[in-house]
Amino acid sequence: MRSDNRYHSDSTTDEDSVESLFLQLIDALPKVSVQGYDKHRRVIYWNQSSEEVYGYTREEALGRKLEELIIPDHMIDGVIQLHRDWVEKGVPIPSSELLLTGKGGGPVPVFSSHVMLKQHTDSPEMFCIDVDFREQYEARETLRRMATTDPLTDLPNRRYLESELEKVISQVGAGPGEFAILFIDLDMFKDVNDTLGHTWGDRLLHSVAARMQSNLADGEVLARFGGDEFVLVIPRISSANDAQTVAMRVLDLFRSSFSLGSENVYITSSIGISRYPVDGQQPEELLKNADAAMYQAKESGRNRCQFFTSALSDKLRVQRDISNRLHRSLENGEFELVYQPQFEMNDQTVSSCEALLRWRPRDGGPAVPPDLFIPVAERSDLIIHMGDWVLEQACAQVSQWKKDGFNIRVDINVSGKQLEQADFFESLDATIARFGLSPEDLGLELTEHVLIRSNDRMLDGLRALRDRGMTISIDDFGTGYSSLNYLKVFPITHLKIDRSFVVEAPENDLDGALLEAIVSVGHGLRLEIVVEGVETEEQAVFCKALNIDYAQGFWYSRPVSAEDVVSFFKP
Ligand code: C2E
Ligand code: CA
Ligand code: CA
């Protein structure tokens, strides 16, 4: 075969002819594979680089067919057709980037151009000039992997997830099919992170990801959405039940502990489920709704799954509406403070009150209760501006009362986002000073939730304020972790027991006993005890008998305007 091939002649007779020089040049071209094929697509020329690029030696390649050597199966018919069209109809094959196959079966990325020689004869010869693209291809692949993989967990990242969802939508969307996504969020992960440190937090995320990943069913895709949030795509379901089954399977994965060094850590997750097409037709909407359902799962007590529902969708609409209207409310001056007095249980005197925010929208809508708009504001920076306004307003009021001869302490509610502000303490001090007040004139109410999330800087700041005489209360005590241990760690002066305990206490022995226990521990830690939500005389009597220091509630007074609250105080 080789001896009668004019491109691979062993003879060196016309060594100095131009043709021979070009042949030598082409034969030795680095990184450019040049192959020649006869009209049956049999190899008639195979340069040195072809050996390197495709792995076949010249001897192995010569005489074999193009499609047997380097064309992947799925391209064979197409290539044969293209070759035929060129030979018979003169349609050239355009240059393009191709993924061909090497000797071992692996992919060989090349940029391929083609030339036909002796086109109008009986023996047309096609030459392929393939520039080796492996390095570029690998670099590009690495970049692509990096851009679509989360480095901590090795899972696909959010970007990949979004394109995956587009893909599934285009596949499923064509037919009557359904698919579902699970939005999985770890419960209390922040606490783990805070107690164990970030390194262990990262390891936990890694272990959780690995466990979920190794329990995926065929076709399911798991991605890290961000932080401690994961999204699982179930590519085909026939009913909501199918999605629920997968969600239960995921929840079950958290039953056994994760070992971190010498510690075994237990953690649970909350899952929101949204389905295509009923809950959304775009990736963004599906994700948003699954996320909302996840929040609902958390609100219902965590470690559970929750479908996106129309009720949830209504609730979101209300929140969106509030959010839209809330935006201009501050500059429009739509807020005011009302004050609810706190009674000393021993002698029924009053020396302080709690400031509560009221919003009366200017658009004529009814007053919106804070339970509705505060959570919405807390999702944006609005709560910070509202908090600033409350502080300013409260200080102005206390200062006015002082001028009128009243010494009234006002307790304000502080949300977590406010406390997180780097200049919170500075700006608090500055405001107090600007109104000529001292730390005793103000109190801060913080929920357990906020205190638990606080870092050393915040705790130090609060401690300094307490030491300078400011009242610091732990609010809604009993609704969160209620760890008595925390009570001695947090720099607080007052413990405010949540309304829920008081409601049942007189009738329900268990609530009564709990209340009594909290009071006794609180007193042991030298904290002043406040009950809120006292609505009946019976409750008031009951609390007094427990030695509770202060009480607040409708039985004593509803929250009232600044003018009205003064009547409770003695000049
Ligand atoms: P909170 O701090 O626990 O405030 C006490 C809530 O209980 C107030 O509701 C008050 O009107 C209500 N209340 C008082 N006595 C009774 C009673 O005897 N029975 C019943 N059923 N309720 C009673 P309000 O004013 O609707 O405030 C709700 C929540 O909104 C507050 O709970 C607080 O978490 C938040 N909030 C109010 N004002 C502010 C504020 O200025 N800033 C922040 N961050 N949150 C605020
Ligand atoms: Ca409060
Ligand atoms: Ca409270």
Side-chain angles (χ1 to χ4, degrees):
M1 161 71 52
R2 194 169 169 180
S3 51
D4 51 68
N5 187 313
R6 72 188 180 98
Y7 297 109
H8 290 302
S9 150
D10 286 334
S11 84
T12 50
T13 45
D14 6 69
E15 200 152 67
D16 34 15
S17 79
V18 175
E19 189 187 6
S20 157
L21 279 174
F22 269 106
L23 270 176
Q24 282 178 37
L25 180 70
I26 286 169
D27 195 46
L29 268 183
K31 292 202 167 272
V32 181
S33 154
V34 183
Q35 318 118 46
Y37 299 93
D38 68 9
K39 70 172 169 192
H40 305 294
R41 296 178 307 283
R42 279 190 302 241
V43 176
I44 53 169
Y45 178 73
W46 195 256
N47 76 346
Q48 276 173 31
S49 279
S50 300
E51 299 195 338
E52 205 261 315
V53 172
Y54 291 108
Y56 297 98
T57 63
R58 184 171 291 158
E59 285 74 16
E60 286 173 315
L62 284 175
R64 289 181 60 189
K65 285 193 151 193
L66 165 64
E67 58 267 29
E68 295 168 17
L69 286 176
I70 60 172
I71 306 299
D73 287 348
H74 71 274
M75 286 170 64
I76 290 179
D77 292 344
V79 166
I80 294 175
Q81 190 57 46
L82 283 169
H83 180 258
R84 191 167 294 151
D85 286 351
W86 201 353
V87 170
E88 291 170 7
K89 301 185 199 145
V91 185
I93 302 178
S95 310
S96 65
E97 213 181 308
L98 298 175
L99 206 53
L100 301 181
T101 310
K103 188 177 176 186
V108 180
V110 292
F111 187 83
S112 188
S113 306
H114 320 89
V115 191
M116 192 69 87
L117 298 181
K118 302 201 273 179
Q119 180 151 20
H120 303 292
T121 69
D122 265 357
S123 43
E125 294 173 349
M126 180 177 75
F127 281 79
C128 301
I129 300 117
D130 295 347
V131 180
D132 182 358
F133 253 38
R134 278 176 298 184
E135 275 174 23
Q136 290 88 330
Y137 182 80
E138 269 158 33
R140 222 159 46 190
E141 278 296 288
T142 310
L143 276 181
R144 197 186 55 79
R145 243 193 329 271
M146 277 165 60
T148 55
T149 306
D150 166 56
L152 176 68
T153 58
D154 266 342
L155 290 180
N157 63 13
R158 181 176 184 157
R159 190 146 144 208
Y160 179 91
L161 171 73
E162 276 158 2
S163 64
E164 174 70 18
L165 283 175
E166 301 269 6
K167 205 176 83 194
V168 180
I169 287 173
S170 72
Q171 286 164 356
V172 175
E178 275 189 64
F179 74 91
I181 64 174
L182 308 186
F183 202 105
I184 306 162
D185 188 289
L186 304 188
D187 296 329
M188 325 271 243
F189 175 73
K190 191 156 186 308
D191 298 344
V192 175
N193 227 3
D194 290 349
T195 20
L196 298 178
H198 284 263
T199 314
W200 290 108
D202 283 357
R203 282 197 208 176
L204 179 60
L205 284 176
H206 184 90
S207 306
V208 166
R211 187 179 292 179
M212 287 200 284
Q213 174 74 24
S214 60
N215 281 282
L216 291 183
D218 230 17
E220 291 174 358
V221 173
L222 177 71
R224 181 170 179 217
F225 194 71
D228 60 344
E229 300 163 333
F230 300 87
V231 171
L232 199 160
V233 184
I234 313 168
R236 215 162 264 282
I237 55 169
S238 45
S239 70
N241 240 340
D242 290 352
Q244 172 129 17
T245 308
V246 179
M248 297 313 283
R249 193 183 79 212
V250 173
L251 290 175
D252 270 351
L253 291 177
F254 290 85
R255 276 173 185 268
S256 47
S257 65
F258 295 87
S259 61
L260 294 184
S262 57
E263 301 230 20
N264 281 332
V265 177
Y266 284 91
I267 193 161
T268 55
S269 65
S270 297
I271 302 179
I273 308 173
S274 69
R275 290 175 299 150
Y276 175 94
V278 278
D279 299 333
Q281 270 135 55
Q282 299 301 324
E284 204 185 320
E285 202 184 359
L286 285 166
L287 286 165
K288 194 188 71 197
N289 290 342
D291 185 24
M294 183 276 290
Y295 262 98
Q296 194 60 41
K298 294 235 183 223
E299 269 180 30
S300 334
R302 305 190 184 94
N303 190 23
R304 64 194 65 211
C305 66
Q306 162 83 48
F307 279 95
F308 185 73
T309 59
S310 59
L312 201 54
S313 154
D314 291 346
K315 186 171 150 190
L316 287 181
R317 194 166 321 112
V318 169
Q319 286 182 348
R320 248 196 321 273
D321 171 60
I322 289 178
S323 165
N324 290 339
R325 291 158 66 211
L326 205 52
H327 261 282
R328 311 202 69 85
S329 55
L330 252 189
E331 48 202 91
N332 285 349
E334 297 173 9
F335 288 110
E336 68 184 75
L337 284 183
V338 290
Y339 302 86
Q340 190 176 30
Q342 295 168 337
F343 282 72
E344 214 153 312
M345 292 221 94
N346 269 337
D347 55 8
Q348 301 291 312
T349 58
V350 181
S351 59
S352 63
C353 56
E354 177 179 5
L356 293 159
L357 195 54
R358 293 292 175 262
W359 176 29
R360 294 182 213 290
R362 234 199 220 169
D363 58 18
V368 185
D371 284 338
L372 266 186
F373 71 80
I374 297 273
V376 174
E378 271 174 343
R379 261 178 251 150
S380 72
D381 283 348
L382 211 56
I383 190 69
I384 296 166
H385 304 304
M386 281 163 56
D388 287 344
W389 182 87
V390 169
L391 172 66
E392 184 87 15
Q393 189 67 19
C395 285
Q397 189 59 65
V398 175
S399 142
Q400 180 58 48
W401 278 330
K402 274 191 194 296
K403 280 179 202 137
D404 299 341
F406 294 94
N407 233 338
I408 305 176
R409 187 189 85 222
V410 171
D411 293 347
I412 58 175
N413 291 285
V414 177
S415 89
K417 262 208 170 146
Q418 280 176 269
L419 197 64
E420 277 166 23
Q421 295 302 296
D423 64 350
F424 174 77
F425 293 104
E426 237 173 279
S427 118
L428 178 68
D429 268 339
T431 311
I432 294 178
R434 188 149 41 80
F435 284 97
L437 304 180
S438 64
E440 296 97 62
D441 296 321
L442 217 57
L444 304 182
E445 295 196 359
L446 301 142
T447 60
E448 265 181 296
H449 201 68
V450 169
L451 283 169
I452 278 175
R453 259 140 237 272
S454 56
N455 57 28
D456 287 346
R457 179 190 64 82
M458 302 173 196
L459 292 180
D460 288 347
L462 290 173
R463 194 167 298 116
L465 285 175
R466 181 195 61 182
D467 294 346
R468 285 162 57 207
M470 193 173 282
T471 297
I472 315 260
S473 309
I474 185 164
D475 200 0
D476 302 342
F477 187 78
T479 56
Y481 310 78
S482 314
S483 162
L484 297 174
N485 196 38
Y486 282 128
L487 291 182
K488 71 169 196 263
V489 180
F490 296 142
I492 49 176
T493 57
H494 288 57
L495 193 141
K496 228 174 152 174
I497 299 171
D498 189 67
R499 203 171 78 217
S500 53
F501 285 90
V502 183
V503 178
E504 299 281 335
E507 276 111 54
N508 184 324
D509 289 348
L510 213 62
D511 276 334
L514 264 176
L515 197 55
E516 198 172 350
I518 296 174
V519 173
S520 111
V521 172
H523 277 156
L525 292 167
R526 282 193 273 287
L527 299 175
E528 307 253 26
I529 312 287
V530 189
V531 281
E532 51 182 350
V534 177
E535 288 182 353
T536 63
E537 182 170 20
E538 200 191 1
Q539 291 166 352
V541 169
F542 188 88
C543 290
K544 191 167 182 328
L546 285 184
N547 246 336
I548 286 172
D549 305 287
Y550 301 93
Q552 182 183 341
F554 294 170
W555 168 252
Y556 298 95
S557 164
R558 292 196 168 248
V560 293
S561 68
E563 296 96 74
D564 290 346
V565 86
V566 179
S567 65
F568 292 101
F569 296 86
K570 291 198 193 76

